[in-house]
Amino acid sequence: MSGLILCSKQSKIPYYIAELNLNIYSIEELSYYLYHHLYLIEDEFFNDKLVQYIEQECRRPKVAAKLRNCIQEKAPFGECVKIILTASAYYSERELDKIQDTLSEIGNKSLSERRKARADILMGCKKYTGALSAYREVLAKRDRNDSTQFCSDVWYNIGVVYIKMFLFQEALEAFFHAYACCPREELIDDMLRICLIWQNETEVLKIVGKYKVTDERLQKCRNQVDREREVLMQESFMEKLQKEVSAVSQEDIQDLTRTKLMYYVAGKWKASYRDEMIG
């Protein structure tokens, strides 16, 4: 968990939250997670394992007892959330009022909307594999009342996730589905830009023919992609390397040869990539 959180007592054994591949070590960290990721929380989150962690590792038996009773009575998950937040004393009354508003908002949303919000959070946290699975669940279990616009938005977000994973063919197919659900002109431009970034002129020509794209419109998309590419190329590999090196302490740098330093930074990049793609 990033950032600094003032904790009253830290546990020696962490509680693992698989959703974000996250270890927490205190009731305050648990509160922080709940406060900022409400849409990720499902009823199953509050279980005997969590109660045991709060009771034994956090040494908060009274809180554990309240949570256990709440679970046994099958109370709304919002009640369980409030037990944790109140027990931690980490948030002010104003912040607790805000979380109550969010809980009410969640209660007013359809199941499909809540599932999509959960997938959106996973995508925002760069947990792309989990986000894809969550979006697929939205589509597989969608309600008959879900609008075509809603389904189109889900497919669009799937396409965005695939782009972030550099899977352009899959992204293009997702955007085709998004357009089929709810035809929008901007989606055609998105398809073209994907193919141009992908440098797949065959697919570009298919889209141009299928959607009767004018030469002027195609050129506009080419210009947009070229400008974005130029911005990316302005920051050279060595400039990126220098940024990473600047985060290394002077003492550590003295102990690293040039080759070792390159491996050090490359290792950081690989770890970041694994976290984004696998997480």
Side-chain angles (χ1 to χ4, degrees):
M1 179 176 291
S2 62
L4 182 64
I5 300 178
L6 182 62
C7 302
S8 58
K9 186 187 295 290
Q10 279 195 306
S11 61
K12 294 182 179 179
I13 300 175
Y15 186 79
Y16 179 67
I17 300 175
E19 200 85 64
L20 294 183
N21 188 28
L22 182 70
N23 284 323
I24 62 170
Y25 291 85
S26 68
I27 194 82
E28 288 81 7
E29 288 186 6
L30 177 59
S31 294
Y32 183 90
Y33 173 80
L34 292 174
Y35 189 90
H36 290 278
H37 300 95
L38 269 184
Y39 276 98
L40 283 178
I41 310 304
E42 297 182 343
D43 292 342
E44 294 77 14
F45 180 85
F46 298 100
N47 53 40
D48 291 339
K49 185 178 178 181
L50 180 61
V51 171
Q52 186 177 8
Y53 168 77
I54 293 172
E55 184 175 45
Q56 298 181 5
E57 301 302 328
C58 294
R59 299 180 183 178
R60 303 292 293 272
K62 292 183 179 179
V63 179
K66 287 182 180 179
L67 187 59
R68 184 180 289 109
N69 289 336
C70 211
I71 294 172
Q72 290 174 348
E73 293 173 4
K74 296 182 179 180
F77 88 96
E79 295 300 318
C80 296
V81 170
K82 285 188 281 188
I83 288 174
I84 302 298
L85 295 184
T86 304
S88 71
Y90 187 71
Y91 292 102
S92 66
E93 289 188 15
R94 184 177 178 180
E95 288 171 317
L96 291 176
D97 289 339
K98 182 180 177 181
I99 206 74
Q100 183 59 55
D101 291 341
T102 304
L103 288 170
S104 298
E105 180 182 312
I106 292 174
N108 292 329
K109 288 184 178 293
S110 69
L111 184 56
S112 292
E113 289 173 327
R114 295 201 298 272
R115 285 174 176 150
K116 180 180 178 297
R118 176 174 172 270
D120 291 343
I121 290 174
L122 289 171
M123 178 172 68
C125 293
K126 299 182 179 181
K127 303 299 179 182
Y128 299 136
T129 303
L132 281 177
S133 177
Y135 282 127
R136 295 286 183 183
E137 182 182 13
V138 174
L139 293 172
K141 299 180 180 180
R142 63 181 180 271
D143 189 271
R144 67 178 64 184
N145 294 322
D146 292 338
S147 67
T148 55
Q149 176 70 63
F150 177 82
C151 294
S152 178
D153 289 343
V154 174
W155 275 113
Y156 183 87
N157 286 3
I158 289 174
V160 171
V161 173
Y162 276 131
I163 290 172
K164 292 178 180 293
M165 297 173 73
F166 305 105
L167 298 173
F168 298 113
Q169 180 68 60
E170 289 82 353
L172 182 60
E173 291 173 1
F175 280 179
F176 276 134
H177 282 296
Y179 187 88
C181 290
C182 186
R184 289 171 285 167
E185 288 299 306
E186 59 268 26
L187 283 173
I188 297 174
D189 291 340
D190 288 332
M191 294 178 206
L192 286 170
R193 282 192 287 265
I194 289 175
C195 295
L196 291 169
I197 293 170
W198 185 14
Q199 296 183 329
N200 190 325
E201 289 294 329
T202 300
E203 291 294 342
V204 170
L205 293 176
K206 286 181 182 179
I207 295 170
V208 168
K210 183 174 182 178
Y211 299 106
K212 306 294 188 295
V213 177
T214 64
D215 291 343
E216 181 182 3
R217 186 175 180 181
L218 176 58
Q219 188 57 49
K220 184 178 179 180
C221 290
R222 289 188 187 278
N223 293 340
Q224 289 174 334
V225 171
D226 288 342
R227 283 196 299 271
E228 291 169 3
R229 186 177 288 116
E230 286 175 8
V231 171
L232 291 174
M233 293 303 292
Q234 284 174 1
E235 188 176 71
S236 68
F237 176 83
M238 289 310 296
E239 287 173 335
K240 291 180 182 178
L241 182 61
Q242 185 59 44
K243 284 185 179 180
E244 292 289 351
V245 171
S246 65
V248 184
S249 69
Q250 194 62 37
E251 183 179 345
D252 289 339
I253 288 179
Q254 291 174 356
D255 295 334
L256 293 169
T257 63
R258 182 183 299 272
T259 302
K260 286 182 179 179
L261 187 58
M262 296 273 300
Y263 277 115
Y264 175 87
V265 176
K268 289 182 66 178
W269 287 347
K270 287 198 305 185
S272 176
Y273 179 84
R274 283 196 299 268
D275 183 56
E276 290 183 8
M277 297 304 174
I278 299 174

